[in-house]
Amino acid sequence: MLPRMATANPLENGKHEDLDASDLPKILERLRAAQNKSGTPSYEKRIERLDKLLKGVMAHKDDFVRAINEDFGNRAKHETLVAEIFTTINTIKHTRAHLHEWMEVEPRPVSWLFAPARAEIVPQPLGVVGIIAPWNYPMQLALAPAAMALAAGNRVMIKPSELTPRTSETMAKVVKEMFADDEMVVVTGDAEMGAAFSKLPFDHLLFTGSTRVGKIVMKAAAENLVPVTLELGGKSPAIVSEDFPIDVAATRVMHGKCFNAGQTCIAPDYALVPRKQVDRFVDECKAAVAKMYPALKANPDYTSIVNEKHYARLKGYLDEAKAKDAKVIEINPAKEELPSEQHRLAPQLVVDPPKDLAVMQEEIFGPILPIVPYDSLDEAIAFVNDRPRPLALYMFAYDDDAVSKVVDRTVAGGVSVNETLMHFAQEDLPFGGVGPSGMGHYHAREGFETFSKKKPIFYQARLNSAGMLRPPYGKTIDFALRFLLGK
Ligand code: NAD
């Protein structure tokens, strides 16, 4: 039995109706038929679509702030404005500003043997792009890739997360308001809807979510040989080197850890700290949290854990650590009772945890920071390299040699040196994981290319020498081969 899903995107223009998973192929067909009919959209058409998206996001930014806040219980307003609204707008504007350059046809040389023919590469839209989005930045992680896919000339189908239903409905409403139902469509629904969505024969599928579901999605896409971009998760380390001011490192790590209450794919998952500096690092983490959040319970700046399930998961990690006698330090500056129904979890440090604990095995995705002592930088590098390749790596050092050593000898999706999170915000840098943390990129020119076919084209000249390549082979080709291959 297929689930019935509410959606603001009807099959027929202007009519609101429920959709179920069996409606998805019809929606895809509609988008594909429109794309086939219109052909490659012009630069002006793509700009028009980007402008519509920008206008929709700007006009409804308060609706998004409200919806995301309600979905989370409490989502710091500034975190939504920065990490959802600003980031999406910035991506759209950056894409808009560079679109002309990215769309340019690139001439490529032909060998003198083929002269006077010519060759070029033409970026061409793939067709219809599917986007599956998670709940942690529920608007930005759907609409920023959508902007890039539209810029590359595609039509788009989005399946946002069921864990943030108000945001998903707002997105569906805004997209319906701004776009024709054969241009871009949002379909809402749960994991079952996601499973049906990932089985559709898209021209490209971008999935952002967990590594576990990423495997399922890739398998489903493989049935139709749909190319995928997988933006997954994992455990991103922060390495603090001895020469770096420990208070500054603690402040920046705890900022990355507490932003969105740690529910960020590129949040520093754990910190590797020189053994003799661990106690000071702990003290500085406490001081940093107290400065950012003097109180937690009614503080609008401190985001809640998204739901009961994830709150219980994080509590479970802490219970297990305590049961196994790990040193767990709660940072609760005003020493408040935090009612569990609010899903606010105080930041926690787990010092030198046994490596079999869930906090050292699973992606934490919450405000818990394991601190792993190390004795030499080589040991810290080996610790990272013994584990699945992370989505992000953070290195705190002023010593250039130490930075180069870590950057050269580890493989990660992206790196920020002496900071956390910020590489994501660089519009000229591609974003994506490696191995278990993902494959492919979006953002920047690489994002445009992800959603384009770089089509190589060869133009034969009116007068050419290709005739000698056709039988019956005669003296001319013998002479040419003697020249090319030697006697
Ligand atoms: P998730 O994998 O549970 O769900 C993501 C999306 O997939 C949702 O829309 C869901 O409905 C859908 N889905 C669930 N089961 C499916 C199935 N069988 N087939 C197809 N679709 C299915 O992830 P989540 O809990 O929403 O998000 C958290 C995870 O996402 C974390 O691991 C985090 O690191 C990762 N993440 C990665 C990035 C990145 O850019 N690399 C960004 C944000 C989050």
Side-chain angles (χ1 to χ4, degrees):
M1 171 78 181
L2 292 163
R4 288 211 73 78
M5 305 299 160
T7 177
N9 281 95
L11 283 168
E12 289 166 38
N13 223 347
K15 194 168 130 224
H16 190 106
E17 60 181 276
D18 282 355
L19 291 181
D20 66 32
S22 67
D23 294 316
L24 296 179
K26 284 179 245 166
I27 300 173
L28 174 59
E29 271 167 35
R30 187 176 64 210
L31 290 159
R32 181 160 285 139
Q35 183 77 349
N36 287 342
K37 194 165 168 215
S38 71
T40 297
S42 64
Y43 168 76
E44 289 74 21
K45 185 74 191 168
R46 300 182 199 200
I47 291 288
E48 182 195 308
R49 288 180 181 157
L50 288 173
D51 286 348
K52 282 197 287 190
L53 188 58
L54 185 62
K55 201 169 156 202
V57 171
M58 287 302 285
H60 291 278
K61 70 179 188 319
D62 295 339
D63 297 334
F64 278 115
V65 168
R66 198 174 312 116
I68 297 172
N69 186 52
E70 285 171 11
D71 281 335
F72 273 75
N74 181 62
R75 159 66 95 74
K77 184 178 173 183
H78 291 87
E79 291 178 0
T80 299
L81 289 174
V82 169
E84 311 266 8
I85 310 290
F86 172 76
T87 308
T88 306
I89 287 172
N90 213 26
T91 298
I92 299 171
K93 287 185 175 168
H94 182 267
T95 303
R96 203 186 180 289
H98 289 272
L99 185 59
H100 204 274
E101 168 198 338
W102 294 343
M103 283 177 69
E104 271 170 14
V105 172
E106 187 193 337
R108 287 284 176 101
V110 294
S111 156
W112 62 269
L113 289 167
F114 299 93
R118 64 184 179 88
E120 64 190 21
I121 293 183
V122 178
Q124 190 178 38
L126 293 169
V128 184
V129 171
I131 294 173
I132 302 180
W135 54 265
N136 63 321
Y137 293 97
M139 185 208 121
Q140 184 248 120
L141 292 172
L143 295 186
M148 308 233 70
L150 289 173
N154 300 282
R155 292 171 194 251
V156 178
M157 234 169 123
I158 301 174
K159 206 302 272 173
S161 174
E162 67 280 18
L163 267 57
T164 42
R166 296 167 191 85
T167 312
S168 301
E169 283 304 324
T170 304
M171 201 186 318
K173 193 179 117 206
V174 172
V175 167
K176 187 188 167 217
E177 195 178 297
M178 304 310 297
F179 289 89
D181 69 353
D182 60 6
E183 258 181 329
M184 179 149 83
V185 173
V186 175
V187 291
T188 57
D190 62 6
E192 214 177 317
M193 190 70 146
F197 191 93
S198 64
K199 288 182 185 143
L200 296 174
F202 289 113
D203 298 298
H204 192 94
L205 178 60
L206 181 137
F207 169 81
T208 304
S210 60
T211 299
R212 182 187 71 79
V213 176
K215 287 182 193 171
I216 302 171
V217 166
M218 192 170 173
K219 251 188 212 160
E223 275 302 311
N224 296 309
L225 290 179
V226 172
V228 288
T229 301
L230 300 179
E231 301 285 347
L232 309 177
K235 294 182 79 62
S236 299
I239 304 178
V240 180
S241 101
E242 240 177 286
D243 77 311
F244 195 83
I246 200 87
D247 54 333
V248 180
T251 299
R252 295 179 189 174
V253 168
M254 289 317 284
H255 176 235
K257 191 50 139 174
C258 295
F259 194 89
N260 204 28
Q263 301 165 109
T264 304
C265 55
I266 50 168
D269 187 274
Y270 63 95
L272 284 152
V273 177
R275 190 175 298 279
K276 58 186 181 219
Q277 289 182 312
V278 165
D279 291 343
R280 266 208 66 205
F281 187 73
V282 167
D283 290 343
E284 295 298 348
C285 286
K286 289 183 191 166
V289 171
K291 198 166 173 198
M292 288 187 288
Y293 311 100
L296 298 172
K297 189 174 167 185
N299 188 341
D301 291 347
Y302 195 61
T303 294
S304 297
I305 303 305
V306 71
N307 62 19
E308 177 57 32
K309 189 176 147 219
H310 282 283
Y311 181 74
R313 175 180 63 79
L314 294 165
K315 280 278 196 191
Y317 292 169
L318 294 169
D319 291 345
E320 186 207 14
K322 286 174 197 160
K324 293 195 174 159
D325 291 329
K327 187 173 171 190
V328 178
I329 301 168
E330 181 176 277
I331 313 181
N332 186 342
K335 302 205 173 359
E336 295 155 298
E337 195 65 43
L338 299 177
S340 58
E341 61 275 13
Q342 278 190 353
H343 305 152
R344 276 187 201 223
L345 185 65
Q348 315 270 338
L349 307 176
V350 187
V351 184
D352 197 5
K355 305 302 170 282
D356 62 340
L357 288 187
V359 277
M360 288 312 299
Q361 296 290 326
E362 307 291 332
E363 177 183 10
I364 295 173
F365 225 57
I368 303 173
L369 183 78
I371 298 173
V372 179
Y374 71 84
D375 293 305
S376 69
L377 203 51
D378 286 334
E379 188 190 329
I381 291 169
F383 191 92
V384 173
N385 286 340
D386 280 348
R387 286 163 175 76
R389 291 179 167 170
L391 181 59
L393 182 140
Y394 302 111
M395 175 61 182
F396 291 89
Y398 285 139
D399 173 3
D400 290 343
D401 290 342
V403 173
S404 301
K405 190 170 173 175
V406 167
V407 171
D408 290 351
R409 286 172 50 188
T410 57
V411 181
V415 173
S416 284
V417 175
N418 300 339
E419 191 47 277
T420 58
L421 313 183
M422 303 287 177
H423 60 286
F424 181 87
Q426 308 314 308
E427 287 297 338
D428 279 310
L429 287 181
F431 180 79
V434 54
S437 58
M439 63 182 68
H441 297 103
Y442 71 113
H443 290 201
R445 178 190 278 276
E446 286 79 358
F448 176 84
E449 289 178 352
T450 287
F451 299 118
S452 303
K453 162 66 185 160
K454 290 181 83 174
K455 192 195 245 177
I457 307 181
F458 173 82
Y459 294 91
Q460 182 60 286
R462 236 173 236 254
L463 292 173
N464 61 73
S465 54
M468 74 172 167
L469 294 171
R470 291 189 283 269
Y473 302 116
K475 285 185 179 152
T476 321
I477 193 162
D478 284 342
F479 174 78
L481 283 171
R482 267 202 304 280
F483 176 73
L484 291 171
L485 304 176
K487 282 191 183 161

